[in-house]
Amino acid sequence: MDNKLRIDLRSDTLTLPTQAMKETMLNAGLGDDVFGEDPTVNILEEQLAGMFGMEAGLFCPSGTMTNQIAIKLHTRPQTEIICHKSSHIYLYEGGGIMSNSLASVKLLDGNFGKIDAEAIRQVINPDDDHLPETTLVSLENTMNKGGGSVYTLDEVRPIRQLCKETGLKLHLDGARIFNALVSTGERPFEWGKMFDTISVCLSKGLGCPVGSVLLGSQADMKRARKIRKALGGGMRQAGMLAAAGIYALDNNVFRLEDDHERAKALAVILQQTPFVKEILPVSTNIVIAELEQISPESFLEELTERNIWAVKFGKDQVRMVTHMDFTDQHLEAFESRLKLWKK
Ligand SMILES: *Cc1c(COP(=O)(O)O)cnc(C)c1O
């Protein structure tokens, strides 16, 4: 069989910028953003802040940096963050909570990577010299480790209310917030009202080569600029990159629906594939398959022999993520290659 077409589902960060996106980047107005003078960066920050009804934005090289800046904004040494035990900020940011902010973490469990107000309430530390002061709650939407699961506004409202009552800050790791919004039909500005800061990635499903934006109040973003400087994230003629972000917001948001449809189709095909025990519910563009009678390594080897690429994701799991460069042609090839696989 012809396996020439590479099917790369390891991540939605693998997308390459399209010709149209590259042309926009070439034609961007530029200046030195460390002086605040790159017009294209300023437009991107204002456009995204406007969409979410937040006062200001800060363009950064990565979602790790926007999250780490937010954590530094909302904590001090000896304070504590509450988040799900599978959060990106805890698992996949190189221990940055500790090294950048000298803060402690209280990890919660919860179905599909989600936490609720009641569970949070129970682990907020009382005022006591023995205990780190709780200052921040961080949510992730969509939740990567939860299989791209989605919070709804109705789930977030009680958490917002609790944070208000108890004086805690609330941060959203919205690396894939547009996947969540496209799936629920909720509006960005309704989400902006719920959080003190939101981190949005442009380099995932939106198809940009680089970039994330942190959103928040004018005062917080002023401090965030200084933190970004100290983390080494001040970029100069960054408008070339910001232009890709503007292009993506204008052209690549609503098409995320296609990625979600293809993820659902992938799940149906995988369900019939040898060694697949079950698939986590697919809400957006992430498909997590639970395996039986095979190691993830051997399963991935079987896939790569068919020129299909995925990643190991926990002890008995593999993850596939759909994205702009996974088309219907790739989906058809995926199906025909797996159909022939007999145990
Ligand atoms: C990808 C991702 C980030 C940020 O990653 P970068 O590679 O640093 O841009 C943050 N949170 C989640 C949930 C992610 O999936």
Side-chain angles (χ1 to χ4, degrees):
M1 187 171 61
D2 179 10
N3 284 349
K4 241 188 287 170
L5 183 70
R6 182 183 171 94
I7 301 177
D8 203 335
L9 295 159
R10 289 173 299 162
S11 174
D12 46 3
T13 55
L14 293 159
T15 52
L16 299 179
T18 58
Q19 193 58 34
M21 181 180 275
K22 285 192 226 173
E23 273 162 25
T24 313
M25 295 169 74
L26 273 178
N27 295 322
L30 302 176
D32 188 333
D33 180 54
V34 175
F35 286 77
E37 291 174 7
D38 188 295
T40 311
V41 170
N42 293 340
I43 290 169
L44 172 67
E45 291 175 349
E46 281 165 27
Q47 184 176 341
L48 203 53
M51 282 174 87
F52 282 83
M54 297 183 93
E55 286 176 9
L58 184 69
F59 185 54
C60 291
S62 72
T64 298
M65 190 180 281
T66 46
N67 280 334
Q68 291 298 318
I69 290 172
I71 290 165
K72 230 169 141 50
L73 275 176
H74 302 310
T75 62
R76 300 180 309 282
Q78 294 186 290
T79 62
E80 189 162 84
I81 303 164
I82 297 171
C83 65
H84 190 276
K85 65 177 187 177
S86 301
S87 301
H88 194 280
I89 59 163
Y90 174 68
L91 285 183
Y92 298 129
E93 299 190 3
I97 293 174
M98 173 276 296
S99 64
N100 293 322
S101 296
L102 300 173
S104 172
V105 195
K106 183 72 77 34
L107 299 173
L108 290 176
D109 211 341
N111 289 340
F112 303 114
K114 300 201 289 180
I115 57 180
D116 63 38
E118 214 26 65
I120 294 167
R121 186 188 295 279
Q122 287 179 22
V123 298
I124 297 173
N125 285 333
D127 184 9
D128 178 324
D129 283 350
H130 296 86
L131 305 172
E133 180 193 345
T134 311
T135 60
L136 173 64
V137 175
S138 181
L139 306 181
E140 188 175 313
N141 195 25
T142 69
M143 178 65 191
N144 177 27
K145 276 288 213 180
S149 53
V150 173
Y151 279 98
T152 61
L153 273 174
D154 285 341
E155 291 171 314
V156 174
R157 258 185 219 105
I159 299 176
R160 167 80 278 176
Q161 187 55 34
L162 174 65
C163 289
K164 212 165 141 192
E165 276 167 30
T166 51
L168 303 186
K169 299 292 182 182
L170 186 57
H171 171 67
L172 178 66
D173 177 354
R176 296 189 181 85
I177 183 64
F178 283 109
N179 293 90
L181 296 176
V182 162
S183 122
T184 59
E186 290 167 353
R187 311 278 288 278
F189 75 89
E190 298 177 287
W191 278 75
K193 280 190 254 178
M194 298 283 148
F195 293 89
D196 294 287
T197 44
I198 298 181
S199 159
V200 180
C201 280
L202 303 165
S203 58
K204 295 257 160 90
L206 296 185
C208 295
V210 179
S212 289
V213 179
L214 184 65
L215 304 173
S217 69
Q218 203 79 54
D220 276 349
M221 290 310 101
K222 188 168 188 304
R223 284 180 58 219
R225 275 185 83 85
K226 200 180 274 267
I227 298 168
R228 183 184 69 176
K229 187 71 187 159
L231 293 177
M235 299 186 288
R236 302 294 177 173
Q237 285 72 32
M240 293 198 88
L241 302 172
I246 295 167
Y247 180 90
L249 291 177
D250 292 343
N251 294 282
N252 294 347
V253 172
F254 291 104
R255 65 150 307 286
L256 291 171
E257 187 57 49
D258 299 341
D259 296 345
H260 300 174
E261 286 305 314
R262 291 185 189 117
K264 289 197 175 79
L266 274 189
V268 171
I269 299 162
L270 276 172
Q271 198 81 67
Q272 292 147 23
T273 301
F275 307 111
V276 173
K277 186 171 153 206
E278 69 176 315
I279 313 279
L280 262 58
V282 177
S283 316
T284 52
N285 68 330
I286 298 179
V287 182
I288 296 180
E290 185 112 7
L291 307 173
E292 59 187 356
Q293 293 161 15
I294 194 169
S295 68
E297 288 81 2
S298 305
F299 188 82
L300 291 176
E301 228 169 83
E302 289 279 353
L303 291 181
T304 48
E305 275 172 24
R306 294 162 175 81
N307 206 4
I308 296 171
W309 300 78
V311 294
K312 178 176 168 173
F313 214 57
K315 195 163 74 59
D316 298 308
Q317 293 178 336
V318 294
R319 185 192 75 171
M320 297 181 188
V321 189
T322 58
H323 50 74
M324 283 180 73
D325 295 351
F326 178 78
T327 64
D328 281 335
Q329 190 197 355
H330 294 85
L331 180 62
E332 277 165 34
F334 182 89
E335 178 164 32
S336 61
R337 289 175 206 175
L338 289 192
K339 223 166 42 192
L340 300 173
W341 183 1
K342 299 279 183 294
K343 220 183 208 171

